[in-house]
Amino acid sequence: MKPSKRILICPLNWGLGHASRCIPIIRYLLNNGHEVIIASCGVSGELLRQEFPLLQHIDFPSFRVKYSKKNTQIFAILCCLPNIIQVSIKEHFQLKKLVKQWNIDMVISDNRFGLWNKRITSVYITHQLMVKMPKSVQFMEPIISRFHRFVIEKYDYCLIPDFSDKESSIAGDLTHKYKLPSNANFIGTISRFNKNTEDILRKEKYKSDILIILSGIEPQRSILEKELIRKIQKTNLSTVLIQGIFSPQKSIRTENNITIISHETQDEVEQRLANSKTIICRSGYSNLMDLISLQKSAIIIPTPGQTEQEYLADYLSRKNLFVSQYQNQINIEEGIKDLSSKKIMIPRKPLKLPF
């Protein structure tokens, strides 16, 4: 990459995962002498403001999705399709204004469909080249994958945070089942955490029997929080629950054996991950890459009806990396017992981008 480019980073605001996996990308760009401007919104924007307070931040809304309380999300997402298309078209034209206003040389979009521009270098990040569909409409998978490939090929580069070798793949079918876009570049797993677990200085105040890290779309985030609190209060296990809710001031409260924290910095979360005996979280892809980078297994609970998370939970539990449990069948004691047979030994590789 030529030096001194001005690069616009635009993550999707769909939980924290898209923003968190932009963190190592931003670090890489800054370390290589480039200027980074962050265009984001919602909790994604708050996370990146917290991690990079000295950078220029622009409020740049992405499409909004609300999950169903029921055990299928695909129809809730389908209902949002008109809004997704409308917002993608709108943000495509908004990008033209931003490129001119800020003299942008490159835009990097994490799963935002409309952020390509023919006058500058456009980069798209995704691990979901195919969209997993429920069995009842599985015949639509090839069609939707072809459409996604059509969108991806509007960009100059597609960065895939996974391994090119199918046997080593973390995303499995999501990256390897169908034909790759012509601009595909596998960059290996990436994580906001840049240390190995054994290199993290242990601090007594971060120790706990269980660490729960929540994120994702409402109302399912809150539903899981209530269920886990109910289950864990029946045990005597010391537990820290990080809600993944950003507010001007961090809130901390205690309910019996559970300390509930609204949000924490990256360093604090890294400390807790290294010092906790058992980790519980969603099976979102960025969560999984973070855990793999620290070589920490976990009990992973897919969002009900979120086909991508359900697939990843099943696929990676069969690879003996994680313990998967359904939200309506959580068993803390059984999950802890099953974790004893899980081990992650995937070496961390330095990030290298193709441009």
Side-chain angles (χ1 to χ4, degrees):
M1 185 189 290
K2 294 180 181 179
S4 301
K5 286 187 179 292
R6 180 172 286 181
I7 301 171
L8 189 69
I9 302 284
C10 308
L12 182 67
N13 182 38
W14 194 329
L16 293 174
H18 296 282
S20 69
R21 72 185 183 192
C22 283
I23 291 173
I25 302 285
I26 294 169
R27 285 202 204 104
Y28 176 94
L29 296 172
L30 293 173
N31 289 339
N32 281 275
H34 304 289
E35 182 181 353
V36 175
I37 298 174
I38 299 171
S40 56
C41 64
V43 293
S44 288
E46 291 300 324
L47 174 65
L48 294 178
R49 284 179 192 274
Q50 185 184 83
E51 297 304 326
F52 301 101
L54 300 181
L55 296 185
Q56 176 69 48
H57 291 260
I58 301 169
D59 184 45
F60 192 21
S62 61
F63 58 81
R64 298 180 65 183
V65 174
K66 185 176 176 66
Y67 279 162
S68 167
K69 292 182 179 180
K70 299 179 182 178
N71 290 337
T72 179
Q73 306 305 329
I74 195 67
F75 297 110
I77 294 170
L78 287 173
C79 288
C80 294
L81 267 180
N83 176 252
I84 291 171
I85 294 168
Q86 182 182 15
V87 171
S88 297
I89 294 170
K90 182 179 178 181
E91 69 183 12
H92 177 74
F93 290 101
Q94 287 178 315
L95 176 64
K96 289 184 178 181
K97 295 179 182 179
L98 288 176
V99 167
K100 186 176 180 180
Q101 179 183 354
W102 294 94
N103 194 26
I104 300 298
D105 300 302
M106 176 185 290
V107 59
I108 299 179
S109 160
D110 192 315
N111 269 92
R112 293 179 70 160
F113 302 146
L115 297 183
W116 52 272
N117 188 297
K118 291 182 179 180
R119 295 189 177 185
I120 62 172
T121 303
S122 303
V123 182
Y124 187 79
I125 304 173
T126 188
H127 68 280
Q128 205 170 354
L129 299 175
M130 70 162 292
V131 179
K132 278 284 182 184
M133 303 295 289
K135 289 182 180 179
S136 59
V137 288
Q138 216 160 43
F139 68 91
M140 294 177 64
E141 278 185 359
I143 300 167
I144 294 173
S145 296
R146 278 198 295 271
F147 174 74
H148 195 198
R149 189 166 67 244
F150 169 78
V151 172
I152 290 170
E153 288 180 340
K154 295 286 185 184
Y155 293 77
D156 297 292
Y157 297 91
C158 174
L159 304 184
I160 305 170
D162 193 16
F163 301 109
S164 57
D165 174 25
K166 190 173 181 179
E167 291 302 312
S168 304
S169 172
I170 302 302
D173 284 355
L174 302 181
T175 56
H176 286 88
K177 186 170 182 178
Y178 294 115
K179 181 181 176 181
L180 290 172
S182 58
N183 55 0
N185 293 268
F186 286 91
I187 60 171
T189 54
I190 56 177
S191 170
R192 56 180 166 154
F193 302 124
N194 53 18
K195 297 175 185 174
N196 293 317
T197 303
E198 59 269 19
D199 295 331
I200 298 173
L201 182 64
R202 304 305 175 99
K203 296 182 180 178
E204 189 69 28
K205 69 175 183 177
Y206 292 115
K207 287 185 178 180
S208 63
D209 292 322
I210 296 176
L211 172 66
I212 300 168
I213 300 178
L214 297 180
S215 66
I217 308 298
E218 295 290 5
Q220 287 295 335
R221 191 212 63 82
S222 294
I223 291 171
L224 178 58
E225 178 179 316
K226 290 175 183 176
E227 180 64 9
L228 286 171
I229 289 173
R230 187 178 70 84
K231 295 276 186 179
I232 289 172
Q233 283 183 339
K234 295 178 180 179
T235 75
N236 61 355
L237 298 170
S238 64
T239 300
V240 172
L241 187 154
I242 302 174
Q243 297 175 296
I245 298 173
F246 285 85
S247 55
Q249 276 195 320
K250 179 166 75 173
S251 68
I252 303 175
R253 72 180 194 273
T254 301
E255 294 186 13
N256 298 327
N257 56 328
I258 307 175
T259 300
I260 300 171
I261 306 171
S262 59
H263 64 279
E264 291 201 305
T265 66
Q266 175 189 301
D267 289 341
E268 288 171 325
V269 175
E270 191 174 49
Q271 278 283 351
R272 292 200 187 280
L273 284 167
N275 286 282
S276 299
K277 295 177 183 177
T278 300
I279 299 161
I280 302 174
C281 65
R282 287 291 192 199
S283 53
Y285 195 66
S286 295
N287 280 343
L288 300 174
M289 288 196 296
D290 284 343
L291 291 167
I292 287 168
S293 78
L294 293 170
Q295 297 191 330
K296 296 280 286 188
S297 189
I299 300 169
I300 54 177
I301 303 169
T303 301
Q306 217 276 35
T307 49
E308 174 218 356
Q309 289 192 15
E310 290 176 338
Y311 168 75
L312 287 170
D314 178 64
Y315 171 67
L316 294 174
S317 64
R318 285 188 285 109
K319 284 176 74 84
N320 209 38
L321 297 178
F322 297 98
V323 173
S324 173
Q325 291 190 351
Y326 289 112
Q327 187 165 294
N328 61 353
Q329 298 175 355
I330 295 171
N331 187 317
I332 304 298
E333 291 81 3
E334 186 177 303
I336 292 172
K337 182 180 177 182
D338 291 343
L339 271 176
S340 62
S341 65
K342 307 296 180 183
K343 194 165 188 181
I344 296 176
M345 299 185 67
I346 299 172
R348 179 197 295 269
K349 295 183 179 180
L351 174 63
K352 186 176 181 181
L353 300 182
F355 39 76

